């Protein structure tokens, strides 16, 4: 073959061959430029699409906070007022996140609820960007240099646009401590891996990185124990690596293995000490005992308080939660990677880069599996925010699938077609450009919708929409309800964040036996004393019930969930309270404050007479 290629061609034919090669090279360069132009346009459109959704999620015209957002902002306010969690008000989360929010509010001078909400939202997205930075570092190391794959930054943008991260999955971005703990866990995993990647010949990894990983892992677990959703999959993947098994079983590397185990024992000790330090700091700042802390955060959360029927419907189906994060395009790319690239399997490979890439794939799949099965063994809840680690795994998985498509699947497909049409290989960049246009340009163009958003339409009454200031002032309860009164509520989003709530309970009434378990574990002495007797002795200024039907609803809910009767409440409400309405809001106000609410342009009406009349009108 070599001799055949070295034969001297006639002058005319040699000129024609050089001209055809030059033409093919020009076509290839033009096609490559076209490919990169399409990559750039697709990346810009995907970035616009993601930015539009982030803008709507942060600055959208929302009239009420979500339940968990109101809970955490209200708990931060109560901490600032000197109240103790678990003892003075109901709470079932560690409070380090709320103390951090208070520090951020003081640092940036956030005073109103809207300002604090925006600052907290920005804090959540900053931590998500840190997680994406770690994904970028992993992609830069695992990405193929062959073919026509986009750079790592564009791969992340494409995968973000290909997944369903907003809409029904918006609770993932609520003001909660989840992203803070997940960021610490992701950094812990990355630093732990990079420390072992720098292991010297004696078996000692990079100790500064290992110590930093332990500190971050402990802090993240002290913020919220959900770090297990990331640390557990990482431990399972690392401990099952062939290289780790060979190191442990090789008798000639016992000294190496002993030093490696000692370094990881130091890492585990630092993580444990960091966790204890974070918990002690939380106890000191919150001024609560360890018994109250342990009971509220671990004992109570370890008990299923929801009527859980596995896989009965979408609300209780963890597989459906993962499917909700996937779109057709991302699922198709992942399926193509699994089905049409058998030459380099997902779970094995030779060389440093394929091995690291297979580790990334395995880590993604194991993380998704752990997120699916773990709720069945804990509190059995499958809210969207519980699947934030699965979201990060899908981002990395989709990015690797896009990279594989353009660097492996497409070139190999074209080479296979070249057996039937040899000139196909010369048009490989053009084919790549066309495939990029179909796969990457079409979805973001369909998703980006240019309209007159934001804040031009409202479902509220005209007066409420005008007073609301098109989403630029405060939320409705904080805007219309006086903050200097005392409120009793069953849902924290229905009262001002910067107002005192009456009684120990202000949320979690829907959860089965939660209030009863609070009494059972000694956080409150008696449920009836906390409510009925205190109400008679010192009634709240406002009861956040919309009307008589809302009272009937909560009476039935508390009877079913906590076996507690609210029949005593209605005679007291009918005697001393009136209904106040304004701008889509409705509450029950004590008659001594009726003049104040009239001066604030609230409409005051009396309540119905008997519970039987109410029940008949509501059902």
């Amino acid at each position: 073959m070599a001799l055949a290629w070295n034969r001297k061609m006639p002058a005319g034919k040699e000129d024609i061959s050089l001209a055809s090669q030059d033409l093919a090279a020009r076509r290839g360069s033009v096609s490559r430029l076209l490919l990169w132009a399409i990559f750039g346009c697709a990346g810009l459109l995907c970035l616009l699409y993601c930015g539009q959704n982030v803008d709507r999620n942060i600055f959208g015209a929302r009239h009420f906070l979500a339940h968990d957002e109101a809970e955490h902002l209200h708990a931060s306010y109560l901490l600032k007022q000197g109240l103790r969690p678990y003892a003075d008000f109901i709470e079932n989360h560690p409070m380090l996140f709320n103390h951090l929010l208070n520090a951020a509010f003081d640092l940036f001078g956030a005073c109103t609820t809207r300002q604090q909400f925006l600052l907290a939202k920005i804090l959540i997205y900053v931590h998500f960007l840190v997680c994406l930075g770690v994904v970028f570092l992993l992609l830069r190391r695992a990405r193929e240099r062959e073919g026509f794959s986009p750079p790592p930054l564009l791969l992340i943008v494409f995968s973000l646009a290909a997944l369903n991260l907003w809409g029904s999955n918006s609770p993932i971005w609520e003001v909660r401590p989840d992203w803070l703990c997940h960021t610490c866990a992701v950094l812990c995993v990355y630093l732990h891996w990079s420390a072992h990647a720098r292991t010297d010949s004696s078996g000692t990894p990079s100790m500064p990185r290992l110590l930093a990983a332990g500190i971050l892992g402990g802090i993240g677990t002290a913020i919220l124990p959900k770090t297990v959703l990331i640390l557990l999959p990482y431990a399972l993947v690392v401990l099952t690596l062939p290289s780790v098994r060979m190191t442990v079983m090789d008798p000639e590397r016992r000294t190496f293995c002993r030093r490696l185990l000692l370094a990881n024992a130091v890492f585990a000790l630092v993580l444990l000490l960091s966790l204890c330090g974070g918990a002690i700091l939380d106890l000191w700042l919150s001024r609560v005992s360890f018994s109250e802390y342990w009971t509220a955060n671990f004992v109570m959360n370890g008990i299923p308080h929801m009527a859980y029927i596995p896989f009965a419907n979408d609300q209780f189906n963890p597989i459906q939660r993962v499917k909700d994060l996937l779109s057709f395009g991302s699922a198709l790319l992942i399926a193509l990677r699994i089905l049409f690239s058998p030459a380099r399997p997902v779970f094995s490979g030779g060389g440093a880069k394929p091995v690291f890439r297979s580790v990334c794939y395995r880590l993604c799949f194991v993380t998704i599996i752990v997120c699916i099965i773990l709720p069945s063994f804990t509190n059995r809840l499958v809210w969207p925010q519980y699947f934030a680690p699965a979201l990060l795994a899908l981002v990395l998985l989709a990015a690797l699938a896009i990279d594989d498509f353009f660097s492996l699947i497409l070139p190999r497909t074209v080479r296979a077609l070249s057996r039937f049409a040899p000139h196909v290989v010369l048009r490989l960049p053009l084919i790549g450009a066309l495939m990029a246009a179909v796969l990457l340009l079409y979805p973001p163009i369909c998703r980006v919708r240019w309209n007159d958003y934001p804040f031009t339409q409202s479902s509220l009454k005209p007066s409420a929409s005008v007073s609301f200031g098109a989403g630029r002032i405060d939320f409705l309860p904080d805007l219309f309800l006086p903050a200097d009164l005392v409120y009793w509520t069953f849902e924290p989003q229905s009262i001002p964040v910067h107002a005192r709530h009456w009684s120990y309970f202000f949320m979690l009434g829907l959860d089965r036996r939660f209030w009863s378990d609070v009494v059972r574990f000694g956080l409150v002495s008696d449920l009836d004393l906390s409510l009925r007797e205190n109400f008679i002795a010192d009634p709240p200024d406002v009861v956040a019930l919309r009307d008589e039907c809302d009272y009937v609803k909560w009476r039935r809910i508390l009877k079913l969930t906590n076996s507690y009767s609210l029949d005593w409440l209605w005679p007291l409400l009918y005697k001393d309270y009136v209904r106040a309405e304004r701008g889509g809001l409705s509450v029950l106000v004590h008659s001594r404050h009726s003049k104040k609410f009239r001066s604030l342009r609230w409409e005051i009406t009396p309540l119905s007479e008997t519970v039987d009349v109410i029940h008949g009108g509501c059902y």
Side-chain angles (χ1 to χ4, degrees), residues 326-519:
L326 287 170
S327 64
F328 175 77
S330 57
L332 177 63
L333 288 169
I334 295 173
L336 286 175
R337 170 61 183 91
I338 295 175
L339 295 176
F340 297 102
S341 185
R344 194 186 65 195
V346 171
F347 297 105
S348 63
K353 187 181 289 291
V355 168
F356 181 77
R357 195 178 182 91
S358 67
V359 169
C360 291
Y361 271 114
R362 293 166 64 184
L363 183 60
C364 292
F365 284 114
V366 174
T367 301
I368 294 171
I369 293 172
V370 168
C371 288
I372 290 175
I373 67 175
L374 202 60
S376 299
F377 299 97
T378 54
N379 59 5
R380 301 180 182 178
L381 296 177
V382 290
W383 305 128
Q385 57 266 24
Y386 284 27
F387 292 84
L391 184 152
L392 291 175
L394 289 174
V395 169
L396 179 58
L397 193 61
L400 290 173
I402 295 173
D403 177 55
D404 278 333
F405 180 83
F406 287 103
S407 63
L408 291 175
I409 299 175
L410 186 61
R412 290 176 183 176
T413 304
V414 172
R415 292 190 189 100
L417 293 176
S418 66
R419 298 177 182 178
F420 307 98
H423 296 289
V424 172
V425 177
L426 300 178
R427 296 180 175 86
L428 176 58
L430 180 59
I431 296 174
L434 294 176
M435 294 300 297
V438 173
L439 290 175
L440 300 178
L441 275 176
Y442 178 74
I445 288 176
C446 293
R447 289 188 175 187
V448 175
R449 298 183 299 270
W450 304 102
N451 53 25
D452 55 354
Y453 184 83
F455 318 139
T456 57
Q457 296 180 353
S458 176
S459 59
L460 294 177
K461 297 178 182 179
S463 60
S465 178
V466 173
S467 302
F468 190 55
R472 297 183 178 88
I473 309 180
D474 236 329
F475 298 95
L476 289 186
D478 299 88
L479 183 65
F480 291 149
L481 290 171
D484 56 345
L485 301 180
V486 178
Y487 294 80
W488 184 25
T489 182
F490 300 97
E491 296 174 311
Q493 69 269 27
S494 61
I495 66 172
V497 168
H498 298 154
R500 291 288 296 270
H501 72 267
W502 179 88
S503 171
Y504 179 87
F505 302 96
F506 69 94
M507 62 177 184
L508 301 177
L510 283 168
D511 292 4
R512 186 180 57 177
R513 297 193 304 270
F514 199 96
W515 288 12
S516 303
D517 286 340
V518 167
V519 177

Side-chain angles (χ1 to χ4, degrees), residues 180-409:
L180 275 70
C181 91
H182 294 327
T183 301
C184 292
V186 167
L187 291 174
C188 171
V189 165
Y190 179 77
L191 289 175
H192 185 273
W193 179 271
S194 61
H196 285 79
R198 289 167 173 78
T199 302
D200 56 23
S201 58
S202 64
T204 304
S206 175
M207 291 308 297
R209 291 174 179 262
L210 208 59
L211 295 177
I215 292 173
L216 287 170
I219 293 175
T221 309
I223 293 174
L224 200 65
K226 290 181 184 178
T227 50
V228 67
L229 295 173
I230 294 177
L231 298 183
L232 179 60
Y234 174 71
L236 293 175
V237 170
V238 169
L239 293 177
T240 55
L241 287 176
S243 58
V244 174
R245 295 199 301 267
M246 293 174 58
T247 302
V248 174
M249 298 175 62
D250 190 355
E252 297 181 356
R253 308 190 70 182
R254 288 181 179 176
T255 303
F256 183 92
C257 183
R258 190 180 300 111
R259 292 183 178 178
L260 200 62
L261 290 175
L262 180 61
N264 282 277
V266 172
F267 160 76
L269 179 62
V270 170
L271 190 150
L272 184 61
L273 292 176
S274 178
L275 170 60
C276 294
I280 292 172
L281 178 63
D282 193 354
L283 295 175
W284 179 68
L285 292 174
S286 302
R287 298 179 292 111
V288 296
S289 65
F290 178 76
S291 176
E292 295 169 332
Y293 178 87
W294 179 264
T295 301
N297 294 316
F298 296 96
V299 177
M300 295 290 294
N301 285 328
I303 300 173
H305 287 107
M306 294 292 290
Y308 178 71
I309 305 175
F311 307 104
N313 50 45
D314 293 350
Q315 184 179 359
F316 299 111
N317 190 344
I319 298 178
Q320 183 63 38
R321 294 299 188 189
V322 177
K323 288 172 59 180
D324 289 341
L325 293 172
L326 287 170
S327 64
F328 175 77
S330 57
L332 177 63
L333 288 169
I334 295 173
L336 286 175
R337 170 61 183 91
I338 295 175
L339 295 176
F340 297 102
S341 185
R344 194 186 65 195
V346 171
F347 297 105
S348 63
K353 187 181 289 291
V355 168
F356 181 77
R357 195 178 182 91
S358 67
V359 169
C360 291
Y361 271 114
R362 293 166 64 184
L363 183 60
C364 292
F365 284 114
V366 174
T367 301
I368 294 171
I369 293 172
V370 168
C371 288
I372 290 175
I373 67 175
L374 202 60
S376 299
F377 299 97
T378 54
N379 59 5
R380 301 180 182 178
L381 296 177
V382 290
W383 305 128
Q385 57 266 24
Y386 284 27
F387 292 84
L391 184 152
L392 291 175
L394 289 174
V395 169
L396 179 58
L397 193 61
L400 290 173
I402 295 173
D403 177 55
D404 278 333
F405 180 83
F406 287 103
S407 63
L408 291 175
I409 299 175

Side-chain angles (χ1 to χ4, degrees), residues 31-73:
S31 299
R32 287 177 184 271
L33 290 176
L34 178 62
L35 177 66
W36 284 106
I38 292 175
F39 280 157
C41 292
L44 180 61
L45 287 172
C46 291
L47 193 63
L48 287 173
Y49 167 71
C50 296
Q52 184 188 44
N53 282 282
V54 171
D55 172 73
R56 291 186 178 185
N57 189 256
I58 297 178
F59 302 102
R62 295 174 51 190
H63 308 117
F64 293 91
L65 288 166
H67 179 282
D68 290 359
E69 292 173 335
E71 170 198 347
H72 287 290
L73 293 178

Side-chain angles (χ1 to χ4, degrees), residues 54-238:
V54 171
D55 172 73
R56 291 186 178 185
N57 189 256
I58 297 178
F59 302 102
R62 295 174 51 190
H63 308 117
F64 293 91
L65 288 166
H67 179 282
D68 290 359
E69 292 173 335
E71 170 198 347
H72 287 290
L73 293 178
H74 185 60
S76 301
Y77 168 77
L78 296 177
L79 290 174
K80 198 72 177 291
Q81 300 302 310
L83 274 69
R84 298 179 304 140
Y86 325 127
D88 296 331
F89 61 92
I90 187 171
E91 188 54 71
N92 62 337
H93 294 90
M95 305 306 294
L96 276 181
F97 172 68
N98 304 89
H99 291 295
L100 177 62
L101 286 182
N102 280 331
F105 297 157
D106 293 339
L107 179 63
F108 292 96
C111 301
T112 66
T113 300
R114 173 69 64 169
Q115 293 173 349
Q116 294 178 355
F117 168 78
L118 295 180
L119 184 59
K121 276 283 192 179
I122 292 172
L123 183 67
I124 298 301
Y125 275 102
V126 166
H127 282 82
F128 175 65
L129 289 177
V130 173
C131 294
L132 290 185
V134 175
V135 174
F136 171 80
L137 295 176
L138 296 177
L139 284 174
R140 192 175 62 175
R141 182 171 178 177
R143 188 176 71 95
E144 284 294 331
R145 302 295 180 181
E146 304 173 358
F148 309 99
S149 177
L153 190 59
L154 281 180
L155 287 175
I156 293 176
V157 175
F158 292 154
S159 60
L160 288 176
L163 297 171
N164 294 323
L165 305 185
W166 292 276
S168 62
N169 296 303
S170 294
I172 293 178
W173 312 108
E174 288 181 359
V175 178
R176 294 174 49 89
D178 297 61
W179 278 113
L180 275 70
C181 91
H182 294 327
T183 301
C184 292
V186 167
L187 291 174
C188 171
V189 165
Y190 179 77
L191 289 175
H192 185 273
W193 179 271
S194 61
H196 285 79
R198 289 167 173 78
T199 302
D200 56 23
S201 58
S202 64
T204 304
S206 175
M207 291 308 297
R209 291 174 179 262
L210 208 59
L211 295 177
I215 292 173
L216 287 170
I219 293 175
T221 309
I223 293 174
L224 200 65
K226 290 181 184 178
T227 50
V228 67
L229 295 173
I230 294 177
L231 298 183
L232 179 60
Y234 174 71
L236 293 175
V237 170
V238 169

